[in-house]
């Protein structure tokens, strides 16, 4: 059972008269699971279904532009035309069928909407050249919006909200943060207008407030959440005290909840603060949410490294916010809410930002520690391995522990590792200068391993630590299945030297960080300097005569690589997903009306 702090997450709450079963919100995250034209696919539906089934109270479907000019990414979900309604209706029905409420974020790229994506001239409050990144970097040259164009865009937001209600959404969220169009109007550095939409803070806020008022007037009964960027973190941007005033005005205009975030593409020291990686403190934006909560009488949603259920629950019990938004943790574990409610360990998010950085590079949304994210259809059949077996896993790193946790139900699973603790070399990763382009920190990796170990132990996995596999021949020869997950070795016996260097402060120096910021350097250490040792270990253990259905080599033991690849191989081996070619997604999409 959850403790007193965590229990606060699981009480119902109302937003604009709509009851939500608990205080956990899934915030909008671009997936690229839609077609390039913007139609939802079966993959889109399965992704949201998994999180709703996992217990989330309010699912916020990813940002969708209210008009073509607002589209800022390829494969961005569409809502600007009625042609998207069948897919949107299917998403909503699926979420509702799992007991969750559904919202969708209405967001406009403004100057950050690339012409290559939208095929039209980008627009903005002012004609200020803006650096943007969508697969590749470029400088956008937006056209300053006339008053007529402003009215047209306000109308597009209102029409999109009406379309969302027709699709069955319980509410909508307006994206007023992170340097998108509403935030561009708010920013004194991006809005240099001299009319009623520029100049004073109240004038700069007018665009967003008019959208709220328009939706409340034209779509009665549809709650509106206003997502507020409470701090831009650069000198010429919007700052907290001004943002708090905007929150109050938004509520006066009719907003039914305020979702507080922070950060901007121009933030200093970097834009990463928008989605704070592991080097940033947990609950980084809580004080800003608390400041907004003290000023408004509607629910306040907080975000920003709240993936530990205890921290998320404490934020509510201490009155800093009313609901907690967890994005990346729900990619790491779609069952986060159900597990937290039952007092079970969740699969920890590393806050490594692979998900967002990889997506911005043009790929589908994915997760290092949860390979089923974005592949829900492949794994829909669930585990297909036999039960009642004795399984021995050699190696207690992330691949071995992942396999153990997945195979434990219905089987007797033992894990052997010559080290006296679980985690393997993965625990050294936090000592490296970077991981997935962000600064590495040890606590993030330690928490992930600790929770994974606890999950295994709760499932009955037996650990044999501190002795090599050769010392437990009885376990090996009695096993129905032996899984080699012993990791890779460094070439030329460099392992001890690498570990010694990693334990020095030198690895965190600026010079070393600069060197390791180069992808080719990191790839050399992952792929070239190490080699899988699975086959040599099979020979050393005398297991060469085992048939293929009794021996599996996974992770770095099979082929040296990165953590994502190692963990993915463990999931694939343990769950044996159906080949993608065997999934009749076209038939599925015809049946539910989702376009390919």
């Amino acid at each position: 059972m959850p403790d007193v702090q965590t229990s606060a997450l699981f009480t119902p709450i109302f937003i604009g008269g709509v009851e939500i079963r608990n205080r956990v919100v899934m915030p909008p995250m671009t997936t690229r699971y839609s077609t390039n034209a913007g139609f939802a696919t079966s993959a889109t539906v399965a992704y949201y279904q998994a999180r709703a089934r996992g217990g989330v109270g309010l699912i916020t479907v990813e940002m969708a532009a209210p008009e073509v000019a607002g589209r800022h990414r390829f494969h961005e979900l569409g809502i600007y035309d009625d042609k998207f309604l069948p897919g949107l209706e299917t998403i909503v029905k699926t979420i509702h069928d799992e007991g969750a409420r559904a919202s969708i974020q209405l967001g406009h790229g403004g100057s950050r909407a690339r012409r290559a994506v939208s095929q039209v001239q980008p627009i903005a409050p002012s004609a200020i050249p803006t650096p943007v990144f969508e697969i590749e970097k470029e400088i956008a040259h937006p056209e300053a919006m006339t008053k007529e164009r402003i009215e047209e865009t306000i109308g597009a937001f209102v029409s999109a909200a009406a379309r969302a209600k027709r699709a069955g959404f319980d509410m909508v969220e307006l994206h007023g943060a992170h340097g998108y169009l509403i935030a561009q109007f708010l920013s004194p550095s991006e809005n240099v207008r001299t009319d009623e939409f520029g100049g004073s803070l109240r004038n700069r806020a007018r665009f967003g407030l008019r959208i709220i008022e328009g939706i409340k007037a034209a779509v009665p009964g549809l709650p509106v959440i206003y997502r507020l960027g409470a701090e831009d973190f650069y000198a010429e941007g919007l700052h907290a005290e001004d943002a708090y005033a905007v929150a109050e005005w938004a509520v006066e205009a009719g907003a039914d909840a305020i979702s507080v975030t922070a950060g901007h593409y121009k933030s200093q020291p970097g834009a990463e603060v928008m989605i704070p990686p592991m080097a940033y403190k947990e609950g980084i934006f809580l004080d800003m949410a608390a400041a907004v909560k003290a000023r408004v009488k509607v629910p306040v949603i907080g975000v920003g490294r709240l993936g530990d259920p205890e921290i998320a629950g404490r934020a509510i019990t201490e009155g800093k916010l009313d609901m907690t938004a967890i994005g990346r943790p729900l990619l790491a574990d779609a069952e986060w809410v159900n597990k937290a409610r039952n007092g079970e360990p969740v699969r920890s998010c590393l806050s490594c930002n692979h998900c967002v950085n990889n997506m911005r590079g043009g790929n589908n949304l994915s997760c290092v520690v949860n390979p089923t994210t974005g592949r829900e259809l492949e794994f829909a059949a669930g585990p297909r391995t036999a039960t009642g077996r004795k399984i021995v896993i050699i190696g207690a790193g992330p691949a071995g522990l992942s396999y153990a946790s997945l195979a434990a139900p219905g089987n007797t699973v033992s894990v052997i590792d010559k080290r006296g603790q679980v985690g393997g070399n993965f625990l050294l990763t936090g000592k490296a200068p970077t991981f997935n382009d962000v600064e590495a920190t040890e606590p993030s990796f330690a928490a992930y391993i600790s929770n994974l170990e606890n999950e295994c132990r709760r499932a009955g996995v037996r650990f044999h630590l501190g002795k090599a596999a050769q010392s437990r021949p009885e376990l090996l020869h009695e096993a129905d299945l032996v899984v080699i997950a012993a990791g890779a070795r460094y070439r030329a016996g460099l392992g001890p030297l690498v570990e010694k260097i990693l334990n020095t402060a030198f690895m965190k120096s600026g010079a070393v960080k600069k060197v390791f910021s180069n992808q080719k350097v990191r790839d050399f250490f992952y792929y070239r300097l190490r080699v899988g040792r699975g086959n040599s270990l099979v020979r050393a253990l005398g297991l060469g005569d085992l048939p293929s259905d009794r021996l599996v080599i996974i992770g770095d033991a099979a082929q040296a690589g990165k953590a994502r690849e190692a963990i993915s191989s463990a999931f694939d081996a343990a769950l044996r997903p159906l080949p993608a070619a065997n999934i009749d997604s076209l038939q599925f999409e015809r049946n539910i009306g989702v376009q390919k």
Side-chain angles (χ1 to χ4, degrees):
M1 295 296 292
D3 57 25
V4 174
Q5 298 283 7
T6 308
S7 295
L9 291 169
F10 309 112
T11 56
I13 189 172
F14 287 83
I15 292 181
V18 175
E19 184 175 10
I20 301 167
R21 62 183 173 183
N22 59 50
R23 307 296 182 98
V24 181
V25 179
M26 179 178 176
M29 292 174 283
T30 300
T31 64
R32 294 192 196 270
Y33 301 155
S34 305
T35 68
N36 200 36
F39 292 102
T41 65
S42 52
T44 315
V45 176
Y47 164 78
Y48 287 113
Q49 181 181 38
R51 276 76 198 167
R53 182 175 293 166
V56 174
L58 176 62
I59 301 281
T60 312
V61 171
E62 61 205 86
M63 173 176 157
E67 61 179 359
V68 172
R71 298 190 71 213
H72 80 307
R73 297 201 189 283
F74 295 109
H75 295 276
E76 180 181 288
L77 187 65
I79 198 174
Y80 60 83
D81 190 279
D82 286 354
K83 65 186 179 183
F84 300 115
L85 280 171
L88 296 174
E89 289 167 355
T90 303
I91 293 172
V92 173
K93 184 181 184 304
T94 302
I95 292 171
H96 283 169
D97 286 348
E98 300 295 346
R101 294 293 189 177
S103 178
I104 185 168
Q105 185 184 73
L106 306 180
H108 194 300
S111 64
R112 300 183 188 286
R114 289 185 60 212
R115 189 185 188 103
V117 176
S118 68
Q119 303 300 312
V120 299
Q121 176 73 22
I123 58 173
S126 303
I128 297 175
T130 304
V132 295
F133 181 83
E134 161 61 3
I135 303 178
E136 59 186 11
K137 294 180 180 179
E138 71 171 60
I139 302 296
H141 295 274
E143 183 178 82
M145 297 169 73
T146 64
K147 291 183 182 180
E148 292 74 19
R149 190 65 179 87
I150 288 174
E151 296 298 332
E152 181 182 342
T153 302
I154 291 172
F157 271 98
V158 174
S159 295
R163 197 169 290 117
K165 186 175 183 179
R166 287 169 56 197
F169 284 100
D170 300 290
M171 55 195 72
V172 296
E173 177 180 282
L174 296 180
H175 196 351
H178 302 328
Y180 291 96
L181 185 60
I182 295 175
Q184 289 165 24
F185 270 92
L186 284 169
S187 172
S189 70
E190 296 182 279
N191 180 356
V192 295
R193 303 176 69 95
T194 57
D195 60 8
E196 65 267 35
F197 290 97
S200 69
L201 177 64
R202 185 76 196 210
N203 281 356
R204 300 198 311 273
R206 192 181 305 278
F207 177 72
L209 301 180
R210 284 279 310 280
I211 293 171
I212 298 172
E213 292 166 349
I215 294 173
K216 301 305 285 189
V219 197
L222 181 69
V224 175
I225 300 171
Y226 185 88
R227 193 170 206 202
L228 173 72
E231 173 61 59
D232 284 344
F233 296 118
Y234 72 100
E236 300 82 13
L238 186 73
H239 299 300
E241 287 303 320
D242 283 349
Y244 300 154
V246 173
E248 295 181 75
W249 297 336
V251 172
E252 291 172 3
D256 298 280
I258 303 293
S259 179
V260 180
T261 183
H264 190 285
Y265 286 100
K266 295 181 181 180
S267 290
Q268 297 298 321
E272 65 182 15
V273 70
M274 289 188 290
I275 307 169
M278 62 182 78
Y280 290 76
K281 69 176 184 178
E282 294 180 291
I284 181 173
F285 304 141
L286 279 179
D287 288 344
M288 297 180 197
V292 172
K293 183 169 168 56
R295 289 165 167 81
V296 301
K297 301 299 182 184
V298 299
V300 170
I301 303 167
V303 72
R305 298 214 63 206
L306 296 173
D308 183 329
E310 183 178 344
I311 291 174
R314 189 186 311 130
I316 293 173
T317 59
E318 292 178 352
K320 292 186 175 181
L321 44 78
D322 299 291
M323 304 182 75
T324 180
I326 54 169
R328 293 168 295 174
L330 286 171
L331 303 182
D333 195 339
E335 291 286 322
W336 190 100
V337 179
N338 288 339
K339 288 181 178 179
R341 184 174 53 241
N342 295 330
E344 301 171 8
V346 300
R347 186 184 300 114
S348 295
C349 168
L350 295 175
S351 296
C352 68
N353 281 11
H354 158 85
C355 50
V356 63
N357 291 339
N358 195 52
M359 181 279 296
R360 286 174 177 161
N363 301 296
N364 291 344
L365 191 68
S366 59
C367 176
V368 167
V369 300
N370 182 13
T372 69
T373 293
R375 299 172 61 198
E376 286 81 8
L377 289 175
E378 293 180 50
F379 290 91
R384 303 179 70 216
T385 53
T387 56
R389 298 186 306 169
K390 292 182 179 179
I391 301 175
V392 174
I393 301 167
I394 301 173
L401 293 177
S402 293
Y403 191 101
S405 69
L406 297 168
N411 294 303
T412 300
V413 179
S414 299
V415 176
I416 303 173
D417 198 298
K418 65 182 179 181
R419 297 177 177 84
Q421 63 177 354
V422 304
N425 287 331
F426 199 59
L427 292 176
L428 294 174
T429 308
K431 299 176 181 291
T434 60
F435 182 83
N436 279 341
D437 296 318
V438 304
E439 181 181 348
T441 62
E442 295 181 62
S444 186
F445 300 95
Y448 165 73
I449 291 295
S450 176
N451 277 8
L452 194 49
E453 178 188 5
N454 289 339
E455 182 180 355
C456 288
R457 292 189 183 278
R458 287 176 66 96
V461 175
R462 302 168 185 174
F463 286 88
H464 305 272
L465 305 176
K467 292 184 179 180
Q470 288 89 334
S471 68
R472 304 305 303 261
E474 73 285 0
L475 288 177
L476 298 177
H477 294 296
E478 292 175 1
D480 299 305
L481 177 66
V482 176
V483 179
I484 308 294
R489 64 174 175 81
Y490 283 92
R491 298 181 185 273
L494 291 174
L497 177 61
V498 171
E499 184 170 345
K500 184 176 181 180
I501 294 173
L502 282 170
N503 280 302
T504 66
F506 171 71
M507 290 302 294
K508 296 293 187 179
S509 67
V512 173
K513 287 182 180 180
K514 185 175 181 179
V515 170
F516 276 83
S517 66
N518 186 302
Q519 183 68 53
K520 292 182 179 179
V521 171
R522 296 202 302 274
D523 286 350
F524 172 79
F525 277 86
Y526 282 117
Y527 298 107
R528 302 290 297 278
L529 198 60
R530 303 186 306 148
V531 61
R533 54 185 175 134
N535 290 326
S536 61
L537 188 55
V538 167
R539 291 190 295 270
L541 293 172
L543 301 176
D545 293 332
L546 281 182
S548 59
D549 61 345
R550 291 187 59 198
L551 178 66
V552 176
I553 304 176
I554 63 173
D556 281 352
Q559 183 174 356
K562 297 183 179 181
R564 181 192 176 199
E565 297 159 348
I567 296 170
S568 184
S569 76
F571 272 70
D572 288 347
L575 299 181
R576 299 185 185 275
L578 292 170
N582 291 342
I583 300 171
D584 191 359
S585 59
L586 286 176
Q587 181 64 44
F588 179 75
E589 287 158 0
R590 281 198 297 271
N591 288 341
I592 64 175
V594 179
Q595 298 200 31
K596 180 77 172 175

